[in-house]
Every structure is written in structure tokens, then in C-alpha cells.
């Protein structure tokens, strides 16, 4: 399957712990995005990479959040000192540079902070 | 900033036609996208409109009026599997998409 994959699919953690999620984009896509989605809402943008460069970060991305895309392929999203408010679905998407911004989403990582 | 409005819920019967409207406010605009999301699933791309008019893809069509900051998704010959949430999203050229809150479509037999 050549779609976007994310691991783990589910994560339960205790408040204050650190968690890391991984995203593998579609192989020929040079852009990678992280979004967060809570129940009943649309995805909210967190950050965006073009190749290995992180070009934009949302104000939603507090200093407890960090994302990397070291070789312009897979990406990781780390949340330090998790809080209950971090509980959400974390979605990764990828796209290829073109005039039309069509993003393809992975299945997401559902995080529950107890 | 950007904002989008779409109805929270729509109900229709199998075989019918349903239209989901989306109005938006934004300072920059490149295009309007529509995504489908089944419960527990990932958003799936349906369509993208950059220019005014109607784009048709099978049973789904999407319309855009840039002057009215308005678009809609038209679903024809509804099937039970079309029950899902539908999101409109604007592309402002900044790469990040801004999504609406979604419209939950329930298709009844």
C-alpha cells in the first residue's frame, strides 16, 4: 500500500509523560503536514514541512510540541509533558508540490491522556 | 484569519440528492476542497475547486462561487455508505488547509 501510514494508531499515556508519533508519507510527496482533530471538529493545522524544512508552525503548537522530518521522508511529532487537553486524533497528511493543494491523510494516531 | 460555515447535520434517504453548503471568509484564497471522513477513519479527498463553476466526479459534484465566497458539495443517488462527515477546507496558498467543523450526513433507508 502506498498511502500515508501512521504509528501507533492508538496511544494511552499518563499526564506528564512524553509521547512520540511517526508518519510515513506517500513516497514521492515532498510536503508533509500534521493536524490535530478533536471530536466533532475539523482537522486543525499544526505544522508543515517541505522536504526536511519545517516552514510553518501554528500558534496551536506550544513549546511542548516538536516535529522533525530529518531526511525529508518520515516525520515524528513529539509531545512533552502531556496534558489532558492534548487528547485528540493526530493526523498526518502529505502532498506533492503542484498548483492544487490536494492533501492525502493517514489513518491518524488517537491519543488519550489520563 | 479564516472561517468556514457549514451545516452541522443533514439527513436524507437512499437514492436522494443532497447538497452541503459551505460559506467562507478569508483574506487569501486559492481554492476550496471537500473531504469525506467516516467515523474512526481518515479524511479522504473528494474534490478541489479553484475556479467558479461545477466540477463533477461520478455521483459527487462540487461548486464554487468566488465572488460569493460560497461553495457546495452535491451528492446524487445517495447510498448508505455515503453516511459520513463532510468537510470543506480552504487553501489560502499558505499550504495549510483550514477546515470547517464538518457536516454529518445520515443516509436513511
Amino acid at each position: 500500500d502506498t498511502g500515508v501510514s501512521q504509528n501507533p494508531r492508538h496511544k494511552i499515556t499518563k499526564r506528564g509523560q512524553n509521547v512520540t508519533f511517526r508518519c510515513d508519507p506517500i513516497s514521492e510527496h515532498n510536503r508533509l503536514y500534521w493536524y490535530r482533530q478533536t471530536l466533532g471538529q475539523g482537522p486543525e493545522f499544526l505544522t508543515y514541512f517541505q522536504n526536511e524544512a519545517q516552514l510553518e508552525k501554528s500558534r496551536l503548537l506550544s513549546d511542548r510540541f516538536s516535529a522533525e522530518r530529518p531526511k525529508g521522508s518520515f516525520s515524528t511529532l513529539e509531545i512533552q509533558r502531556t496534558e489532558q487537553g492534548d487528547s485528540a486524533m493526530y493526523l498526518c497528511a502529505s502532498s506533492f508540490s503542484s498548483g492544487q493543494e490536494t492533501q492525502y491523510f493517514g489513518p491518524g494516531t488517537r491519543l488519550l491522556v489520563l | 484569519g479564516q472561517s468556514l460555515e457549514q451545516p452541522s447535520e443533514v439527513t436524507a434517504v437512499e437514492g436522494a440528492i443532497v447538497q452541503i453548503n459551505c460559506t467562507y471568509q478569508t483574506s487569501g484564497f486559492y481554492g476550496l476542497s471537500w473531504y469525506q471522513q467516516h467515523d474512526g477513519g481518515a479524511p479522504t479527498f473528494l474534490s478541489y475547486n479553484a475556479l467558479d463553476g461545477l466540477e463533477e466526479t461520478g455521483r459527487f459534484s462540487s461548486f464554487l462561487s468566488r465572488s460569493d465566497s460560497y461553495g457546495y458539495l452535491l451528492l446524487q443517488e445517495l447510498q448508505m455508505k455515503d453516511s459520513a462527515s463532510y468537510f470543506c477546507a480552504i487553501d489560502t496558498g499558505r499550504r495549510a488547509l483550514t477546515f470547517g467543523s464538518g457536516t454529518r450526513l445520515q443516509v436513511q433507508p
Side-chain angles (χ1 to χ4, degrees), chain B residues 42-65:
Chain B
T44 304
F45 172 78
L46 292 177
S47 68
Y48 180 94
N49 293 69
L51 303 175
D52 286 357
L54 192 68
E55 297 272 348
E56 297 179 65
T57 309
R59 294 187 297 113
F60 293 3
S61 303
S62 57
F63 172 83
L64 175 66
S65 168

Side-chain angles (χ1 to χ4, degrees), chain A residues 51-89:
Chain A
N51 301 312
E52 63 275 8
Q54 188 174 19
L55 296 186
E56 189 169 350
K57 291 195 289 187
S58 162
R59 285 171 293 178
L60 290 176
L61 211 67
S62 77
D63 56 7
R64 295 185 298 105
F65 288 68
S66 62
E68 294 184 343
R69 194 182 183 197
K71 295 181 180 178
S73 57
F74 73 92
S75 174
T76 58
L77 177 69
E78 182 183 16
I79 309 174
Q80 296 183 326
R81 306 180 303 281
T82 52
E83 301 173 356
Q84 287 185 322
D86 297 331
S87 295
M89 175 76 88

Side-chain angles (χ1 to χ4, degrees), chain A residues 11 13-20 78-82:
Chain A
K11 179 71 177 178
T13 191
K14 292 182 179 178
R15 192 173 49 187
Q17 297 294 304
N18 299 344
V19 294
T20 300
E78 182 183 16
I79 309 174
Q80 296 183 326
R81 306 180 303 281
T82 52

Side-chain angles (χ1 to χ4, degrees), chain A residues 9 31 33 35 37 40-43 45 48 56 91 98-107, chain B residues 30 33 35 37 40-45 47-48 87 91 94-102:
Chain A
R9 295 291 309 277
R31 292 180 180 155
Y33 313 80
Y35 290 84
Q37 186 176 27
Q41 298 297 315
F45 170 74
Y48 149 63
E56 189 169 350
L91 293 163
S98 72
Q100 174 176 318
E101 189 57 36
T102 300
Q103 298 181 13
Y104 296 89
F105 283 80
Chain B
Y30 274 51
S33 297
Y35 284 79
Q37 187 176 31
T44 304
F45 172 78
S47 68
Y48 180 94
F87 295 90
D91 171 10
R94 288 173 50 242
R95 304 307 162 211
L97 293 176
T98 301
F99 285 80
S101 296

